[in-house]
Each structure stands twice: as C-alpha cells, then as structure tokens.
Amino acid sequence: MELSITVNGAPHVIDVRPHATLLSVLRDSLFLTGTKRGCDEGECGACTVLVDGYAADSCIVAALSVNGSRVDTVEGLGGQHGDLDGLQRGFVEAGAVQCGFCTPGFLMTLTAFMRENPNPAADEVRMAIAGNICRCTGYSQIVDAVRIAVANRPQ
Amino acid sequence: MVRYEGEPIAGVVAEDEALARDALTAIAVELEATPAVGDIEAAVAPGAPLVHPDWRGYDVAFDYPRNGNVAAELNSDPDPEALANAFKQADLIVEAEYRAPRQYQAYIEPKSALASWESGRYIVHTASQFPFNVRDQVASFLGVRVSDVRVIGHHIGGGFGAKLDAGLEPYAALFARAVGAPVKIDNDRTEDLLTCGCRENAVVRMRTALSSDGRILARDVDCLMDNGAYSGEMPFMASLPMHVFGQVYRSGPTRIRCRLIYTNTAPTGAFRGVSGTYLYFALERNMDECALRLGIDRRQFRIKNLIGDGEATLVGQVLSDAGLLREGFDEIERMAPWSEVSRKDASPGKLVGVGIAATTWLTNPGAGSVTLKLNEDGTVGLVTAATDNGSGAVTMGVAQIAAAELGVKPNDVVIQMPDTDSAAYDAGSQGSRTTHVVGRATLAAAAEVRQKILAIAGDLLEAAEADLELADGAVRVKGAPSRSVTLSQVATEALRSGGPIAAAGSYATPLPAFNPSCATGLLFPTFPTPTYHVHLAVVEVDAATGQVKVVRYVVAQEVGKAINPDAVRGQIQGAVAQGLGYLLYEGLDIENSRYKQRTLETYRLPLAVDIPNVESVLMEHGDSAGPYGARGVAEPPIVPVAAAVGNAICDAIGKSINRIPIRPDDILEAIDVDGRLEPA
C-alpha cells in the first residue's frame, strides 16, 4: 500500500505492507537508522520520533495510520553539516551519552517536551523522560543536559 | 535433548524476517517430555532428575569438582578445629539465609549478528564486548581454526557482561556458509531475554560467631548458585565467596562451601559485579544483624573488624593497601556524618533509614595491546581490539593517554573499530580492565612512537632529543618554541628516512601470589589490582504503601587516578542505578522452569523518576602498575548497592528482609508482622 509522509522536511511516497510499523519504514525503507528498535512494544522509548510535533513510540505506530503526517527523527535535529543542536550539545557537555543507543529517543522526547516547557524544573524533566529507558547513565546526566541546553540557549 | 526454554533446535533462513517467521511455523517438533528441575534447591535434593545424565563423560577445560547436578563445587575449611572452637566459645551466633533472583542485563540494543563466508573464511560483524572470544567460540562451533574467522566489532548498545560470550554469531556463520549469502540474525526482546546469560539466582546461608566486644570469631558460609542448563564462565564464579568473605572484614577461621547447580533454565552468566552483588548483600546484611544483636553501632562494628594494610585474604593474597577501606569510611563520614544521617527526621507517614556497606573489588588482569601510528597529517592512529561498552574506556580513557603522551588533542586520535584480523588479542570489555591494561599497553606503544618522532625531529631541528618536547601537534625545542616542526612534517619526513612511524605495546597484569591449597575448586584464585569502596544510602519508606525513595546516595571509591573524572562519575551514577534496579524493581521469577517476566513491560527497569543524583568522592592513591596510577573503575560501583540500600530499608522499618528484590509488598509484609505502622 502507498504511504505518503514528510520525514525531516522531505516528502516521501513509499510502498509499505499493511502491518508495517513506522519504525520499520524509517529504518528499512528510508534507512534512517538513528531511530532504534529496543523492545517493539512501546516500553523503552528508543524508537521515539515526532509525529506532527508529538513524541510517539514508532515501534507501535502503524505506518499507514500516519499517512500525510510530518515525521521528525534524530537525523533532522542538527544542522546540514553535522553540527549539533542545543539539546544535543547539552548531552555532550553533560556526559549524557554512554552507549548511546537510547540517546535518539531521549532527544526526540525532550525536543517535544521543551517546546511546551522551555524552562523545566529537574523533576519535570525526570517525569517527561519516564517513558524512556536508559540502562547506562542512571539518568542524572540527561537531566543535566537539559539544564545546560536551557542555560546556553541564545536569548 | 532440549534442556531449557529458548535453546536453539532448528533454524530458518529467508529473505526477510516475516518470511522466516512464517517458515518457522511450518516446522513441527515432536518432543517427549521428561522430568525437569527449575530450582536450585530442588536440584540438589535426593532423587532430583539429572540435567546432564552423562555429566561424567564431559570434556571440561579444567579439572574441578563436579557431581551430578553440581556443575562445580568450591570447598575451603583450612582449620576445622579452630572453626569448631570459635563457634563453641562464641558469645553470640548469628545465623541467616539470604536470597537473590536472576537479573537481566536489559541493554537497550538486543543482540544481533551478521555473518558471511568469503574466500574460505567466516566474516562476522557483531557488537561484542570481546571480539576475540567470539572469534574463538565461532571457530570452535564450526570446527575451524581461529584464524579462519574474522570478527569485526561495532558500537555496542549496552552489554554489562552479556555480550562477552558469542550468542547469535556461531549460527549466523553456519547459516551464511550453508546458503552462500550473508545472514543476519536479530533477537527480538523476548528472544533476547529468554536466552541471555543473566546474573544467577542464589541462596547464601551464613553462621557468624561473635564475641560480646564485637569481634567476628568465625564464619561458616554455604552458597547455592544457579548455573542454568549449560556452563560458560560460571564455574569460575563459585570461587567468589572465597574473596568476598575475607577481603573487607576480618572473620577468623572461615569455612566456605559453594555449589554451582545445573537446572533446566537458561544458562546464567556475567552481569556487572557478577556474584559479588548478592554475596556482599549477604555479608553486609549479616554485619548489620550482628551489630544489632550485639547492641553495637553498625558503623563502629564494621570499622572494628575492617582489614588493614598488608593483611591476607582467605586465598592468601596480601592486600598491601587495604587500609584504604578505612579511608573510604572517613570520606563518607566527611560527606554524610553518621550521627547526622542517623537522626531520621521523618515526615509524617514515612520511615527513614540509613545503610552503609563496603566492598573490595578487582581490576580484570586480561591481556591487551595497542598499535599506534603517526598519520601523515599529524594525527595518531590507534588500533586495538579493546571495545567501548559505553564506558568511554577506549574513546576517552585510552585515547586521552595516547594524546597526552604524544602531544596531540584527544580528538586527533583516530580509533579503529575492533577487528580480529588487524589488532592483536584483547581480553574484552570486562572487569574494568580497559583503561588500566590497555592504557598501560598504550604507554608502551607511545614511548616507542615518541622515540621515533624525537629522532627525526632532532635531525630536522638540529637539536638534541633531550631538548625536545611534544605539544600541540608539534615537536618544539624546550625554551625556544619558535624552533618547531609539526607532527605532520615528522610523519612525512619519516617516509624518506626509516619508514612510517608505528609501534605496538602489550600488557597483562601479573597475578598476585596466593595459597593454592586454601580450597578445592578454586578456579578464580586472586583479585588483581584491588579497588576499595564504601557506599552509604538514606531511604524514606512510605509506611502505608511500602514505596522506597532513595533520598541520598553517597559513594567513596578508590580509583587510583581518574583519567576522565566526568566519565568516572558517570560510571558510578549508572552502576548505582543498576544496583537500585536489582534491589528494588527487577528480578526474573522462575516458575516451572520458565521465566514469568518475558518483555520490558513486565521486567521493571529503573526510570528517571526512581534514581537520585549520586554524590561521589574519588579517592586517588595511584596504583604503581596503572597508567598514571589508574585502577579499574566502572564495574565495582554496582557491587555494594543492594547491600547499602537493603540495610537502609531494614533500618527504616526495624525488620530484616534478607532477600533481593525488596518490593513494596515485601516491606508491607515485614511491617505487618506486628501490625501495620499507621502514618502519624
């Protein structure tokens, strides 16, 4: 079946199987492998992308259900020459990346969250990322990354 | 014979995953059910079915005690008379049983492998912590020479010990040759969980003889560890009680028996901190119970029985600097004075408790190597099979060491991904060894590269080598920085005189001396390059719901030298989170030889709302063999966590809970013995 989506600003028309997930379309059809597959049941958050601006677990989103939507993945966060956005720089500075496998999901969850909450308190950040699992860091550095990104944001 | 749920019995190769799964359903398997045993205590009961009826005929790598369902056994009882006398003369004997469940590593990237068969060789791509081990295991499975297998490493989406052994790689290689095309195998989450070599479940029984003035007179320890259906490195773990019960506290004559038990469950394996996590839980819960029964302050009781500099452990290994344990207690006292945190200012309906626990741990001594080369643009190429399991030990630690030695920026050290064809052997990302062992190999390689650079630069600058220094990507004459050549110029000049600049360095930690007659079945005899740790936890328990909140968590850790302090603190924070998960939320329950938790929906991992900011102090007493004095860092901060937090919870509720995990139901049940505490 035919799926029309705009991914990171670029329109795509893709032939997909009826049961294909958004995750499999992103990874296997568009080769956007920054979005990770961790559990296939919406528990770990590694596959988080933005669908029309809202964070969603792409492993449990039927691709055809987002026909016509705008999808943003981690590949779309930085600039054209590989430069990082403010939140990504915050992650680097805070040491919020260890193995890095969960990082794209955290970045997308927080990108959506910070649009609504530009100056969040630490406990609000912790609640916002409660649907993303990081097994390496113990989370504090991810909370720090948000604080650093907020502090470094151009006024 | 199928011995556990998840054991591979047949495979299908197809052009895509959906097709392969469809084809699997076309395979009909006829199985005859035979009696199974899924529980370690049932497996050692008389008349239990044997998991391996033919165990006697097995070819084992080492000769060690085995018997029926006992896959390996360690026994140590060096002075039975002294032990018996100590228990006879004791003022108090504290006896208890401690239990721990399986813990799933739950790295976020499930296991995966891609293999092909090209020009008579197997090429395996995998995100392994230990590529050379995968090479050897693939070769052994296929019956070929190790050099017929090439393993190429990739970035690892978490491993924590579970990606040290080969998993899917041997099958991918077998299928690739059979079908004549590259074959990829991906685990889904349930496949991954069911077949993962989890931290083993265990039962530890302990009797401790005490004098009324607070000395430990003797100890008798009996452990049962679950091996699962097949043994990998687990027979080595049966030795761990020999270390844990003699390397923190003096305990007089000590008898230890540890049996590793076959069951019809998935094979268990390495998870950060291995058996130490629950052995220290048992030891430190016991220390609290001893102190309480003696009416002595729990911290004072520990300090009174701490071992010191130059004392020998139960295996006869002398710990020259064990006095650092005492310094750890002092550092904790500076950050969180015992009298203050014990004051227990609880808000209404809450119970506050404090726990403290100490640990001595090791740095894995396994061999490693590094090749450094000076690239023609002045950057440094670094070739090693050491892997970065999320700790930054290669990309930060080893690279920083190379950069510092050769005067370049860390970002100008270009690291090749592990490849068993191009790099010499490396013992893998385990036991915090990489910065220590591979860092030391890097120093050796860098010294030779540096010498070659200085020889050429000395000619170019017409200066004595002794007058030169390496800094900012250049070689300069000391005191005359305008007289310099860039490393790029040196590398280019080398192509005309002597050839390209490169050198290799290798290292393996020499093993400490020990007493080989201290035990039978001692496969894991020493704890090289020891590290010392003291952890303190303050918890708040909700008396109505049993929920635990960790209010403060404080760590004092001997690291030798923090090569990258932020990375060290990151390892401590992450390890404490895994330890909290172990104690408070996780655990695989086994029912009829099957796991009840089978996905991340039912296997509860710690979340951002559960984990406090860990406060840590890094103690830096350099190890003479380590690069800049660095010791192993990343594994051990998980080891004392269950002990410290378990003690804090028991202190809060005034009851003993001697098993992991401690969940709200367990707390309410413990409180309920004499009536639920009503919120004030």
Side-chain angles (χ1 to χ4, degrees):
Chain A
M1 299 175 78
E2 200 169 86
L3 169 70
S4 299
I5 47 173
T6 301
V7 180
N8 300 328
H12 295 272
V13 178
I14 311 159
D15 185 34
V16 302
R17 293 182 181 182
H19 61 272
T21 62
L22 177 57
L23 174 64
S24 68
V25 168
L26 292 171
R27 287 184 60 87
D28 303 334
S29 299
L30 299 178
F31 304 111
L32 293 170
T33 54
T35 305
K36 301 301 183 190
R37 170 180 176 251
C39 70
D40 274 332
E41 59 174 1
E43 283 294 328
C44 75
C47 67
T48 306
V49 299
L50 305 190
V51 177
D52 295 326
Y54 292 98
D57 291 321
S58 64
C59 74
I60 50 170
V61 171
L64 289 168
S65 73
V66 297
N67 193 37
S69 290
R70 184 167 49 83
V71 174
D72 293 294
T73 72
V74 69
E75 286 90 347
L77 284 189
Q80 286 185 339
H81 307 290
D83 36 325
L84 305 177
D85 79 357
L87 182 60
Q88 289 173 309
R89 288 197 303 275
F91 267 64
V92 172
E93 201 175 314
V97 179
Q98 285 187 17
C99 88
F101 197 80
C102 70
T103 308
F106 275 91
L107 288 168
M108 299 319 289
T109 297
L110 285 167
T111 295
F113 169 71
M114 288 173 72
R115 279 182 194 150
E116 302 291 320
N117 304 272
N119 292 294
D123 56 351
E124 292 172 323
V125 176
R126 286 184 181 272
M127 191 55 82
I129 57 177
N132 290 72
I133 297 171
C134 172
R135 190 55 153 165
C136 292
T137 62
Y139 298 106
S140 289
Q141 305 90 313
I142 298 173
V143 179
D144 285 348
V146 173
R147 180 178 51 75
I148 291 167
V150 169
N152 290 345
R153 191 187 288 145
Q155 296 304 311
Chain B
M1 184 176 255
V2 179
R3 292 191 168 85
Y4 69 93
E5 186 194 14
E7 185 164 2
I9 50 175
V12 168
V13 179
E15 283 177 7
D16 66 44
E17 184 181 338
L19 212 54
R21 292 202 183 273
D22 286 349
L24 262 188
T25 63
I27 300 177
V29 181
E30 286 180 31
L31 288 172
E32 182 193 339
T34 56
V37 58
D39 174 84
I40 43 179
E41 287 162 299
V44 292
L50 289 182
V51 177
H52 293 273
D54 302 325
W55 65 272
R56 278 194 180 84
Y58 287 3
D59 205 13
V60 289
F62 304 92
D63 185 25
Y64 52 86
R66 300 179 295 134
N67 185 13
N69 281 341
V70 178
E73 177 162 356
L74 175 133
N75 270 290
S76 176
D77 191 6
D79 195 345
E81 207 173 311
L83 187 90
N85 283 338
F87 273 99
K88 213 175 291 169
Q89 289 158 10
D91 297 316
L92 177 70
I93 295 173
V94 174
E95 190 168 353
E97 181 182 284
Y98 306 89
R99 287 174 176 270
R102 285 194 192 195
Q103 187 186 17
Y104 174 42
Q105 288 82 344
Y107 35 79
I108 307 301
E109 179 181 36
K111 288 177 189 168
S112 177
L114 169 66
S116 58
W117 195 63
E118 298 170 29
S119 310
R121 300 182 76 218
Y122 296 91
I123 316 294
V124 179
H125 291 263
T126 181
S128 167
Q129 292 175 243
F130 192 171
F132 274 91
N133 191 37
V134 172
R135 178 199 67 170
D136 294 354
Q137 292 180 346
V138 169
S140 165
F141 179 75
L142 297 171
V144 299
R145 298 180 305 173
V146 294
S147 53
D148 292 332
V149 179
R150 175 185 182 189
V151 175
I152 300 168
H154 290 265
H155 295 292
I156 306 164
F160 317 113
K163 293 175 182 170
L164 287 164
D165 278 320
L168 301 169
E169 297 89 349
Y171 308 114
L174 178 74
F175 295 150
R177 175 153 189 193
V179 302
V183 169
K184 185 173 192 221
I185 310 179
D186 288 336
N187 270 350
D188 70 20
R189 182 54 70 178
T190 296
E191 290 162 347
D192 199 89
L193 184 154
L194 291 181
T195 57
C196 186
C198 295
R199 190 194 313 283
E200 74 278 10
N201 49 305
V203 180
V204 181
R205 299 186 182 103
M206 200 185 313
R207 291 168 68 229
T208 306
L210 298 151
S211 68
S212 55
D213 66 346
R215 279 175 306 121
I216 301 169
L217 302 175
R219 198 170 252 150
D220 191 356
V221 181
D222 189 283
C223 304
L224 289 177
M225 300 176 173
D226 198 337
N227 174 86
Y230 298 95
S231 290
E233 67 162 34
M234 285 304 298
F236 290 80
M237 296 304 124
S239 300
L240 280 193
M242 284 297 288
H243 301 287
V244 168
F245 292 103
Q247 62 188 8
V248 177
Y249 304 111
R250 265 176 230 128
S251 47
T254 301
R255 174 164 66 192
I256 291 184
R257 175 163 78 148
C258 182
R259 286 171 293 166
L260 177 71
I261 309 300
Y262 282 127
T263 58
N264 288 110
T265 59
T268 52
F271 186 163
R272 190 185 206 170
V274 291
S275 321
T277 48
Y278 61 78
L279 292 172
Y280 275 109
F281 174 82
L283 172 64
E284 290 287 18
R285 283 293 308 128
N286 190 256
M287 292 299 284
D288 262 23
E289 292 180 309
C290 290
L292 286 171
R293 294 273 301 278
L294 288 166
I296 300 175
D297 174 76
R298 296 176 290 148
R299 182 175 178 275
Q300 276 311 317
F301 175 63
R302 284 177 167 80
I303 287 173
K304 189 182 176 84
N305 287 287
L306 273 183
I307 65 169
D309 286 350
E311 288 191 47
T313 70
L314 297 179
V315 296
Q317 178 183 346
V318 174
L319 298 178
S320 62
D321 54 4
L324 292 172
L325 285 164
R326 177 57 207 262
E327 280 197 46
F329 275 90
D330 293 343
E331 291 290 352
I332 292 284
E333 184 64 13
R334 269 189 277 283
M335 292 201 287
W338 186 248
S339 58
E340 276 178 34
V341 291
S342 299
R343 227 188 285 129
K344 302 183 181 179
D345 301 323
S347 38
K350 310 284 190 197
L351 303 166
V352 173
V354 55
I356 195 163
T359 285
T360 299
W361 204 247
L362 77 160
T363 310
N364 181 300
S369 83
V370 161
T371 298
L372 294 176
K373 61 194 183 88
L374 187 63
N375 292 324
E376 288 63 47
D377 60 359
T379 61
V380 173
L382 191 157
V383 180
T384 180
T387 62
D388 224 332
N389 182 21
S391 69
V394 178
T395 50
M396 293 192 278
V398 171
Q400 271 179 256
I401 291 169
E405 292 296 308
L406 297 175
V408 301
K409 293 195 285 280
N411 283 348
D412 283 340
V413 178
V414 182
I415 303 166
Q416 192 198 311
M417 290 303 286
D419 183 336
T420 59
D421 268 11
S422 56
Y425 186 86
D426 182 89
S429 169
Q430 55 173 330
S432 315
R433 62 174 278 284
T434 303
T435 303
H436 181 79
V437 171
V438 184
R440 177 67 193 258
T442 305
L443 287 183
E448 201 176 324
V449 166
R450 185 185 168 87
Q451 195 47 51
K452 291 176 178 175
I453 290 171
L454 291 178
I456 289 174
D459 285 348
L460 290 173
L461 293 167
E462 297 179 343
E465 287 174 26
D467 295 334
L468 300 178
E469 62 183 3
L470 272 68
D472 303 329
V475 185
R476 305 189 297 222
V477 178
K478 287 178 199 164
S482 61
R483 288 180 64 198
S484 74
V485 286
T486 65
L487 288 178
S488 173
Q489 288 171 298
V490 172
T492 307
E493 176 62 22
L495 300 184
R496 288 189 284 269
S497 57
I501 294 174
S506 293
Y507 186 68
T509 307
L511 295 185
F514 70 103
N515 170 17
S517 62
C518 66
T520 55
L522 185 71
L523 298 182
F524 191 145
T526 60
F527 261 37
T529 321
T531 60
Y532 304 97
H533 312 256
V534 183
H535 287 203
L536 178 137
V538 182
V539 303
E540 193 177 81
V541 178
D542 188 307
T545 65
Q547 293 284 345
V548 174
K549 184 179 176 200
V550 180
V551 181
R552 260 191 103 175
Y553 201 95
V554 189
V555 171
Q557 176 164 340
E558 174 55 52
V559 300
K561 168 75 181 174
I563 301 291
N564 188 318
D566 287 345
V568 171
R569 289 181 201 280
Q571 287 304 303
I572 292 172
Q573 175 77 33
V576 170
Q578 288 177 346
L580 290 175
Y582 184 48
L583 184 75
L584 297 174
Y585 312 115
E586 300 179 38
L588 289 165
D589 300 312
I590 300 170
E591 201 172 82
N592 297 326
S593 301
R594 304 180 77 198
Y595 293 146
K596 284 168 77 176
Q597 296 82 1
R598 303 169 79 82
T599 67
L600 296 187
E601 190 177 356
T602 46
Y603 190 84
R604 159 72 153 99
L605 292 162
L607 306 174
V609 289
D610 301 320
I611 303 300
N613 286 321
V614 175
E615 306 160 57
S616 52
V617 58
L618 310 181
M619 296 156 56
E620 294 188 303
H621 300 81
D623 174 75
S624 58
Y628 306 97
R631 309 181 192 221
V633 160
E635 178 182 36
I638 192 177
V639 176
V641 181
V645 181
N647 281 343
I649 292 171
C650 295
D651 179 47
I653 65 175
K655 305 280 181 187
S656 277
I657 301 180
N658 287 336
R659 65 181 177 274
I660 303 168
I662 301 177
R663 296 190 181 121
D665 284 357
D666 304 307
I667 289 170
L668 294 181
E669 192 185 311
I671 292 176
D672 256 352
V673 170
D674 32 47
R676 178 80 44 89
L677 296 182
E678 292 302 321

